[in-house]
């Protein structure tokens, strides 16, 4: 009976920590959004929906993550997904109760990212090798990039707000007029569990401009 009581107590504590983490991430996203604007009255269009990973592939070149939230939880296709330390991927499909997510470890997925210090934008993608390393391209060599620098989301899409952590620079090569940059992910993609969907209330309006 004592062990059973301890189990339920730990489960309750864990649920409380997840809820607290959700709240804190909401605050961080809101503050990042405001800090990139000169108007403090502008609220972030992003809200968070918590989910839990029930399947996570890392063995193929196009990896998919299955999460226990779907359309009945207001999860929609093309929502960004983040974890405790940074980005996870983008929603590909949903059912009523579940969703499939294109992992950042998916060769067809490209993420708009930037070098935090210089604000130089590039394209981030996985080359299909180590599950903790991705490549950042299209950043001009006129920018100074150092080992250990932070790479974050660029905010040039409806998937992610600006400033969500991605990883740190571990290798920089001069590839003509642009750098070839290797980035070590902050998130450990081999053991993701609690995740957060990013719901952008402006997405439909933004998408309509591309049609």
């Amino acid at each position: 009976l004592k062990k059973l009581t301890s189990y339920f107590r730990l489960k309750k504590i864990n649920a409380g920590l997840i809820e607290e983490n959700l709240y804190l991430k909401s605050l961080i996203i809101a503050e990042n959004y405001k800090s990139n604007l000169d108007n403090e009255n502008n609220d972030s269009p992003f809200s968070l929906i918590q989910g839990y990973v029930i399947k996570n592939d890392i063995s193929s070149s196009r990896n998919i993550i299955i999460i226990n939230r779907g359309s009945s939880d207001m999860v929609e296709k093309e929502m960004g997904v983040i974890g405790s330390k940074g980005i996870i991927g983008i929603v590909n499909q949903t059912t009523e109760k579940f969703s499939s997510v294109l992992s950042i470890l998916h060769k067809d997925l490209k993420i708009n990212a930037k070098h935090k210090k210089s604000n130089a934008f590039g394209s981030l993608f996985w080359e299909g090798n180590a599950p903790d390393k991705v490549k950042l391209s299209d950043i001009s060599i006129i920018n100074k990039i150092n080992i250990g620098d932070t790479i974050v989301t660029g905010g040039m899409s409806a998937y992610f707000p600006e400033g969500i952590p991605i990883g740190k620079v571990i290798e920089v090569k001069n590839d003509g007029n642009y750098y070839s940059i290797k980035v070590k992910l902050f998130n450990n993609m081999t053991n993701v569990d609690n995740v957060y969907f990013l719901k952008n209330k402006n997405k439909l309006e933004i998408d309509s401009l591309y049609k």
Side-chain angles (χ1 to χ4, degrees):
L1 182 60
K2 188 176 180 180
K3 287 184 178 180
L4 189 61
T5 302
S6 296
Y7 168 77
F8 284 114
R9 182 172 178 273
L10 287 172
K11 193 172 182 180
K12 185 176 181 180
I13 290 171
N14 188 50
L17 289 172
I18 291 171
E19 186 175 344
E20 182 181 356
N21 199 23
L22 178 66
Y23 173 68
L24 291 173
K25 282 189 177 296
S26 297
L27 288 180
I28 290 168
I29 288 172
E31 286 305 310
N32 281 346
Y33 184 79
K34 286 180 181 179
S35 69
N36 291 310
L37 298 170
D38 293 326
N39 183 355
E40 290 187 359
N41 294 320
N42 280 294
D43 293 326
S44 171
F46 289 91
S47 58
L48 302 180
I49 302 168
Q50 188 270 331
Y52 192 80
V53 173
I54 59 174
K55 185 179 180 184
N56 178 23
D57 292 330
I58 59 167
S59 59
S60 75
S61 61
R62 292 174 173 84
N63 293 296
I64 299 291
I65 299 171
I66 305 298
I67 301 173
N68 70 335
R69 292 289 184 266
S71 58
S72 62
D73 305 293
M74 296 188 295
V75 173
E76 300 171 357
K77 187 176 179 180
E78 296 187 348
M79 277 185 176
V81 183
I82 61 175
S84 60
K85 296 180 180 179
I87 64 172
I88 295 294
I90 295 174
V91 176
N92 182 46
Q93 290 182 317
T94 63
T95 62
E96 183 181 353
K97 296 180 180 178
F98 302 96
S99 57
S100 67
V101 172
L102 298 183
S103 167
I104 194 172
L105 305 182
H106 191 294
K107 290 185 70 174
D108 298 335
L109 185 64
K110 289 195 174 182
I111 303 290
N112 174 253
K114 72 173 185 175
H115 178 238
K116 189 175 181 180
K117 284 184 180 178
S118 68
N119 277 330
F121 291 89
S123 182
L124 189 94
F125 58 95
W126 187 52
E127 295 182 287
N129 301 314
D132 62 339
K133 297 177 182 67
V134 292
K135 184 177 179 180
L136 179 63
S137 62
D138 301 330
I139 289 186
S140 171
I141 58 173
I142 64 172
N143 301 285
K144 186 176 181 180
I145 312 291
N146 294 314
I147 302 297
D149 286 354
T150 299
I151 304 299
V152 298
T153 52
M156 296 289 190
S157 72
Y159 306 131
F160 300 102
E162 184 178 356
I164 298 294
I166 295 174
K168 66 178 180 179
V169 175
I170 58 171
E171 182 181 285
V172 183
K173 291 182 179 180
N174 189 321
D175 192 16
N177 293 323
Y178 298 92
Y179 289 117
S180 174
I181 301 170
K182 190 170 289 187
V183 178
K184 183 176 176 62
L185 296 171
F186 288 136
N187 264 328
N188 181 351
M189 294 300 296
T190 66
N191 65 356
V192 289
D193 44 22
N194 293 307
V195 296
Y196 306 90
F197 297 91
L198 290 162
K199 185 175 180 65
N200 186 349
K201 67 181 180 182
N202 293 336
K203 187 176 184 304
L204 287 177
E205 187 174 348
I206 293 170
D207 288 347
S208 69
L209 298 175
Y210 287 98
K211 294 179 181 179

